[in-house]
Amino acid sequence: MTLIAVVGATGTGKSDFALDLAEAFARAGRASEVVNADAMQLYRGMDIGTAKLSPDERRGVPHHLLDVLDVTDEASVAAYQRDARACIDDIIARGRVALLVGGSGLYVSSVIHDFRFPGTDAVVRARLEAELVELGPGLMHARLREIDAETAAAVDAANGRRIVRALEVIEVTGEPKAARLPDEPVPWRDHRIVHLRTERAQLVERLDARAVRMWHDGLVDEVRDLVPLGLERGVTARRAIGYAQALAELQERMPRADAIAETQQLTRTYARRQVGWFRRYRDAVELDAGDPIARAAGLARLAAID
């Protein structure tokens, strides 16, 4: 086995589990490297709000696709698929195990499944983006729902970029289903999936505490440093949970208590969507992230896979 995806909702300890797994592989005589699958950790300077491991926290395990975008860059799943697969191919070619680690479901799926992204049409995209500004994501999502309810159900009604892309694909291809992942995806490579789970009440408590800790650890100062680098112009980065709220506080549009509370609420909603997304991985090995016995047994089983 040369590719293992470690997935789960935010706050389930994916990064630590992946490092424990890398150490278990090392004890078995096999080296491994991590490929990031968290969309926001692609951005340079976005560390506190994304729970990005510092170099000292990575236990000597090589990590890829961290800090590869400026905050003014627009994240692209198609570009990520290309870059992540190139990293994985290189890791495997050197005789190592690739650990794909993160909670961005579409990013993970784009790598492990044979999913091909339809082309773009600049004219159609520009028109839809103008309509998004005029109408807002709610009405655009309603339009998508009328055309293809199944695709609309998989797209966050507040995510204007995803809605526009889905409508663009449908218009360009003339096929509603072209805007969604296949029902029975074909694997890109042989792989294993580890889905870390945490009981809902415990996870909510952990996420709420983490939002408070982000502010305590200096998220507002981090955002202040990112503003001169163009954070406010960033299509993707400025909308990241926590960063949008810290920016609102910095600009005196929102008091700190409200900024933290909104971050907590949005993070809980995001985690719920992640759980729903990863539930579709029917062949995943599910592990209770808070059960040390189950965790240890899972690590041992994975490290023993040929």
Side-chain angles (χ1 to χ4, degrees):
M1 179 53 54
T2 52
L3 173 58
I4 296 176
V6 179
V7 304
T10 185
T12 51
K14 297 180 293 295
S15 295
D16 282 341
F17 182 88
L19 292 178
D20 288 346
L21 182 55
E23 291 180 343
F25 273 120
R27 289 191 295 271
R30 302 180 70 187
S32 55
E33 302 183 13
V34 170
V35 178
N36 167 52
D38 182 312
M40 293 302 109
Q41 290 192 9
L42 296 170
Y43 287 98
R44 279 181 284 272
M46 293 177 64
D47 303 330
I48 295 172
T50 66
K52 185 187 299 173
L53 295 180
S54 70
D56 289 342
E57 293 173 319
R58 297 172 196 170
R59 307 186 206 172
V61 178
H63 281 60
H64 303 271
L65 297 186
L66 293 173
D67 304 322
V68 294
L69 296 179
D70 293 326
V71 291
T72 51
D73 293 332
E74 182 174 358
S76 160
V77 182
Y80 172 79
Q81 180 194 60
R82 178 197 65 218
D83 296 341
R85 286 183 173 181
C87 286
I88 291 167
D89 283 339
D90 177 64
I91 292 167
I92 292 172
R94 290 184 282 108
R96 298 186 166 207
V97 180
L99 305 177
L100 184 67
V101 183
S104 296
L106 184 58
Y107 281 58
V108 174
S109 292
S110 76
V111 173
I112 64 176
H113 297 143
D114 187 21
F115 183 66
R116 299 169 191 180
F117 292 90
T120 63
D121 184 306
V123 174
V124 172
R125 171 70 67 89
R127 172 169 51 77
L128 290 170
E129 287 178 342
E131 291 176 8
L132 176 65
V133 172
E134 178 183 356
L135 302 175
L139 289 176
M140 297 290 280
H141 190 266
R143 181 192 303 178
L144 177 61
R145 190 166 57 246
E146 290 178 2
I147 298 171
D148 183 2
E150 187 173 344
T151 295
V155 175
D156 179 8
N159 191 330
R161 289 179 60 245
R162 288 280 309 279
I163 296 168
V164 164
R165 176 56 177 158
L167 288 169
E168 178 194 11
V169 169
I170 291 170
E171 185 168 339
V172 169
T173 64
E175 299 180 16
K177 66 179 182 180
R180 58 178 184 259
L181 290 168
D183 294 331
E184 295 296 334
V186 176
W188 168 60
R189 275 185 176 272
D190 191 21
H191 64 270
R192 294 287 188 278
I193 303 172
V194 182
H195 181 189
L196 299 183
R197 301 288 301 270
T198 299
E199 193 273 329
R200 176 69 183 172
Q202 181 182 357
L203 181 61
V204 166
E205 182 179 352
R206 185 181 301 171
L207 294 177
D208 284 353
R210 190 167 87 170
V212 173
R213 190 166 60 251
M214 284 160 48
W215 260 258
H216 179 269
D217 290 345
L219 179 62
V220 174
D221 290 333
E222 182 171 275
V223 169
R224 182 180 288 110
D225 291 339
L226 290 171
V227 168
L229 301 179
L231 178 64
E232 293 164 293
R233 302 193 308 275
V235 176
T236 308
R238 67 182 170 87
R239 294 193 176 101
I241 297 174
Y243 288 87
Q245 289 69 40
L247 185 61
E249 178 191 336
L250 190 62
Q251 296 173 338
E252 299 184 346
R253 293 184 285 108
M254 185 181 292
R256 172 162 297 192
D258 290 352
I260 294 174
E262 183 171 288
T263 299
Q264 290 171 326
Q265 186 272 318
L266 290 173
T267 303
R268 292 193 297 268
T269 300
Y270 178 55
R272 188 165 57 247
R273 290 202 307 270
Q274 287 175 300
V275 170
W277 181 282
F278 294 125
R279 194 175 288 135
R280 72 182 66 190
Y281 295 165
R282 293 188 291 271
D283 57 346
V285 175
E286 292 200 356
L287 288 179
D288 183 345
D291 184 338
I293 296 176
R295 182 188 181 96
L299 287 168
R301 287 197 305 273
L302 290 164
I305 296 175
D306 288 332

